[in-house]
């Protein structure tokens, strides 16, 4: 059975640790490829161009939209985020699972374009823990923290559109849960149509004595 790549979308409220979990997934297993998003927001301390994000200005991003260069894009907290198309399609053709860390608007766009995409929504154990994490990381002002909590409240209405939720209480445990879900997804009939059809043909041939 040929392994075909799955498009894996991981979303979640700001402060749930999505980036940490995604990084450990890609570092721990060689069959995953991380899609680097493009954004118009400013880099945070420690972020690397071309690895964390492709940082561009608004004009460059909007030109890319016009060229149909994204498989999804969205505006979040007054900044654009988008997933470049070419890299994602190439990796999937090579049998790799492509992991996208994107916001809920983009995730729903992905699901329309790629019905077999696997959507995972990461959450903190509670809203209180989420707020504590946002404050504790010290990278945003109180006003930005308040804006992110308000956005989380709005996004909570769309969680049921995802296939699975992941509760990030302990990072290593969450990584393993994500791994288990992704590997199980490879065994669903809808993601193995070619294998099923080939088996049907072979069964018919054998039953006819061919």
């Amino acid at each position: 059975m040929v392994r075909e790549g799955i498009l894996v979308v991981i979303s979640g409220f700001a402060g749930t640790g999505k980036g940490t979990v995604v990084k450990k997934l890609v570092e721990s297993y060689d069959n995953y490829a991380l899609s680097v998003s493009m954004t118009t927001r400013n880099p945070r301390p420690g972020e690397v161009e071309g690895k964390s994000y492709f940082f561009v200005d608004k004009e460059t991003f909007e030109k890319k939209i016009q060229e149909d260069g994204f498989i999804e894009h969205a505006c979040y907290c007054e900044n654009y985020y988008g997933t470049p198309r070419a890299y994602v399609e190439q990796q999937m053709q090579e049998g790799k699972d492509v992991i996208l860390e994107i916001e809920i608007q983009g995730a729903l766009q992905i699901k329309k374009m790629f019905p077999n995409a696997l959507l995972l929504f990461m959450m903190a154990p509670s809203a209180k823990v989420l707020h504590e994490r946002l404050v504790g990381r010290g990278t945003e002002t109180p006003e930005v923290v308040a804006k992110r909590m308000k956005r989380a409240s709005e996004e909570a209405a769309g969680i049921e559109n995802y296939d699975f939720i992941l509760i990030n209480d302990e990072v290593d445990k969450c990584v393993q849960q994500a791994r288990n879900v992704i590997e199980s997804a490879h065994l669903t009939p809808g993601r193995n149509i070619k294998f099923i059809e080939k088996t049907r043909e072979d069964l018919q041939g054998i039953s006819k004595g061919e």
Side-chain angles (χ1 to χ4, degrees), residues 11-18 44 76-77 103 121-122 124 130-131 133-134 137 140 148-149 151-152 155:
S11 304
F13 309 134
T16 52
K18 301 184 298 296
R44 292 176 183 152
Y76 175 73
C77 291
E103 306 302 330
F121 196 92
M122 190 175 300
L130 177 65
H131 184 260
R133 288 179 181 176
L134 283 172
R137 67 187 187 182
E140 285 106 3
R148 291 191 182 279
M149 289 300 295
R151 179 58 182 247
E155 289 179 332

Side-chain angles (χ1 to χ4, degrees), residues 9-13 104 119-123 155-156 158-159 162 164-167:
V9 177
I10 298 182
S11 304
F13 309 134
I104 191 167
L119 271 55
L120 311 180
F121 196 92
M122 190 175 300
M123 304 175 69
E155 289 179 332
I159 296 174
Y162 283 69
F164 293 89
I165 61 170
L166 302 171
I167 307 300

Side-chain angles (χ1 to χ4, degrees), residues 1-2 4 191-200:
M1 184 168 65
V2 177
E4 296 184 2
R191 295 185 175 93
N192 291 280
I193 298 299
K194 292 180 181 178
F195 173 72
I196 293 171
E197 291 178 346
K198 179 65 167 57
T199 300
R200 285 173 176 160

